[in-house]
Amino acid sequence: MLKNTLKSYLTISALLFVLLLSTFVYVTERESYRQSLLLAEKTATTISQLIAKQAEDTFKNIDLILQDVDNKIQHTDPSDLGSQSAVSDLMRSRLQDANYIRAFFVIGPDGYIIHDTDHTTPHVSLADREYFRFHQPASAPELYIGKPLISRSVGTWFVSISRRVSTSDGSFGGVITAALELDHIEKFYSKLSIGDNDLVFLSNDAGMLLVSWPEFEEQIGTIVPKSEPRAKDGDGFVSSLLDQRNKIEISTELANYPLTVTVQIDQKDLFSLWLENVQPAFVLFALLIVAIIVFYWVLLRHIASLKRYEENLEQKNLQLSQSEARLIAAERISKTGNWSYNVADGAIEWSAGLWGIYGYRDNREWYSGRASNDKAKK
């Protein structure tokens, strides 16, 4: 009974220990995963802000160049070929310091290029271009960042950055344009410390995709709706509308331009990295559980062995008691007895049958009778 109680106690204790240990490991690793998410969000925020700062500086520099060109045009005599050449020279000079620009060009009010740093540009009208039409009204003097276009001269994607040229009377005098190469932005994005399935992209205030890394060429110039949360469990993930994978999404709006930089960290890549970091802890936990199971199994076997030993001992004690009872009965019937002498301490032990031969039930009765006789003699 005691061993069964001990076995139950050990079983409950082992289960409670495993449960507490599992709970501790779960809470610890859950917190570790939460910290990984926070670190990923912090990393995405840092990258997003870095790209936003770089984009802000890039567009500001381009705007300053366009303003310089506009200022040169305003002080140029249209009839003076030398001064007209100075406009092209200024643009070529500025182009050398702006390797992210493929070309600067000035479009006249009729839609045809009058100044260009790219001599391979075909002589075609650009009056149908969106950025040209945007600047025609007198109410559009500010910098305009257009949607992605494919160049008619080299066949690559670019984003137009343009300013209106106004004549002395305020009428439309043309458009100064910088062709920002998307390949240059993609190369910059590709050098960032992001995972293979992470995304970085730049969009305008209408949600139009301007450039991304990795490149999704089929979606350049299309409206990318805002990503919706994947679930209402507050885990911070969204389902990316570019590759349909779950991501942590961080966006940063440019301060002075209608653009937004978005960084998306892939959930599976993040989980794989976290799992790689906590794998030693999981292995240690598994080994500890195995050690507990082995220890518990050995302990149960030991308890079972003790139980068998006690059962055998009880059986032998029962057999011994039965043998003693039969011996006593046999001596009583045969009126015989036996005695033993211990040489070591000189003790003599009589059986009940031997005491019966002398008229006593046992040694206590003999001692009691002897004490009475000694008292009577006194």
Side-chain angles (χ1 to χ4, degrees):
M1 182 65 181
L2 179 61
K3 293 299 184 291
N4 290 334
T5 303
L6 179 60
K7 182 178 179 181
S8 300
Y9 173 77
L10 290 174
T11 301
I12 295 174
S13 299
L15 291 176
L16 286 176
F17 180 76
V18 171
L19 179 61
L20 290 174
L21 183 60
S22 301
T23 302
F24 173 76
V25 171
Y26 171 78
V27 172
T28 302
E29 300 308 330
R30 179 70 179 178
E31 176 63 18
S32 171
Y33 185 60
R34 191 182 71 85
Q35 291 297 326
S36 296
L37 294 181
L38 293 176
L39 180 60
E41 291 180 0
K42 184 177 180 180
T43 301
T45 300
T46 301
I47 294 175
S48 176
Q49 292 174 348
L50 172 66
I51 296 175
K53 179 63 169 58
Q54 184 268 349
E56 192 89 31
D57 293 342
T58 298
F59 288 110
K60 182 179 180 179
N61 187 46
I62 294 173
D63 191 21
L64 291 174
I65 294 175
L66 296 182
Q67 292 183 54
D68 284 347
V69 174
D70 183 38
N71 184 61
K72 176 66 72 173
I73 292 174
Q74 299 302 327
H75 294 82
T76 297
D77 183 0
S79 61
D80 185 356
L81 295 178
S83 62
Q84 287 293 316
S85 177
V87 175
S88 297
D89 292 341
L90 175 62
M91 292 194 302
R92 281 192 289 270
S93 174
R94 294 291 188 271
L95 184 63
Q96 293 178 357
D97 298 327
N99 59 354
Y100 41 84
I101 297 297
R102 185 183 61 79
F104 288 107
F105 51 93
V106 179
I107 307 171
D110 58 355
Y112 286 92
I113 295 177
I114 56 178
H115 300 287
D116 192 3
T117 59
D118 184 3
H119 299 291
T120 63
T121 304
H123 185 68
V124 295
S125 175
L126 300 179
D128 61 330
R129 289 298 201 185
E130 174 225 9
Y131 57 86
F132 182 85
R133 297 196 305 269
F134 176 84
H135 288 295
Q136 284 180 314
S139 59
E142 72 273 11
L143 183 77
Y144 179 68
I145 301 173
K147 65 181 182 180
L149 299 169
I150 294 180
S151 171
R152 289 172 178 168
S153 59
V154 294
T156 59
W157 285 98
F158 75 97
V159 170
S160 63
I161 303 160
S162 54
R163 272 191 170 274
R164 172 192 169 97
V165 177
S166 298
T167 62
S168 57
D169 61 359
S171 61
F172 180 62
V175 177
I176 311 169
T177 306
L180 176 62
E181 285 190 315
L182 297 189
D183 286 347
H184 175 83
I185 301 177
E186 290 172 359
K187 289 177 181 177
F188 172 74
Y189 289 175
S190 68
K191 295 177 181 178
L192 299 172
S193 299
I194 61 175
D196 294 337
N197 294 306
D198 297 339
L199 298 178
V200 179
F201 57 90
L202 181 68
S203 57
N204 61 20
D205 55 352
M208 179 180 291
L209 181 67
L210 303 183
V211 62
S212 69
W213 181 262
E215 181 182 5
F216 291 86
E217 185 172 1
E218 68 281 0
Q219 298 193 50
I220 293 178
T222 63
I223 301 298
V224 180
K226 184 177 178 59
S227 301
E228 295 296 331
R230 178 182 59 82
K232 296 181 179 180
D233 53 7
D235 60 3
F237 289 103
V238 299
S239 180
S240 175
L241 297 177
L242 291 178
D243 63 359
Q244 287 73 51
R245 293 170 66 95
N246 293 330
K247 315 278 188 181
I248 288 178
E249 181 178 279
I250 299 295
S251 298
T252 301
E253 296 181 358
L254 272 65
N256 299 305
Y257 303 98
L259 300 172
T260 300
V261 175
T262 301
V263 177
Q264 294 181 341
I265 305 296
D266 190 77
Q267 180 189 23
K268 288 186 177 180
D269 289 352
L270 177 63
F271 180 77
S272 298
L273 180 61
W274 170 79
L275 191 60
E276 182 179 342
N277 292 331
V278 301
Q279 189 174 11
F282 279 126
V283 172
L284 182 61
F285 173 71
L287 292 175
L288 185 57
I289 294 298
V290 170
I292 292 173
I293 293 174
V294 171
F295 174 76
Y296 181 69
W297 177 74
V298 171
L299 189 60
L300 288 183
R301 285 179 59 87
H302 182 65
I303 292 174
S305 176
L306 289 177
K307 186 176 181 181
R308 287 194 300 270
Y309 174 78
E310 287 185 350
E311 290 175 351
N312 292 335
L313 185 60
E314 290 177 359
Q315 182 67 26
K316 290 180 179 180
N317 288 336
L318 178 60
Q319 293 174 355
L320 181 59
S321 299
Q322 291 175 347
S323 297
E324 290 179 348
R326 286 193 292 268
L327 178 60
I328 292 173
E331 287 183 345
R332 186 176 63 252
I333 294 171
S334 62
K335 298 185 181 300
T336 58
N338 68 85
W339 60 274
S340 64
Y341 173 69
N342 192 328
V343 178
D345 57 9
I348 300 175
E349 185 178 352
W350 287 14
S351 69
L354 186 58
W355 286 109
I357 293 174
Y358 288 95
Y360 300 103
R361 286 194 298 272
D362 51 31
N363 60 341
R364 290 190 298 274
E365 185 175 337
W366 178 76
Y367 283 120
S368 177
R370 181 176 178 181
S372 299
N373 292 335
D374 290 343
K375 186 176 182 181
K377 290 180 180 179
K378 292 179 179 178

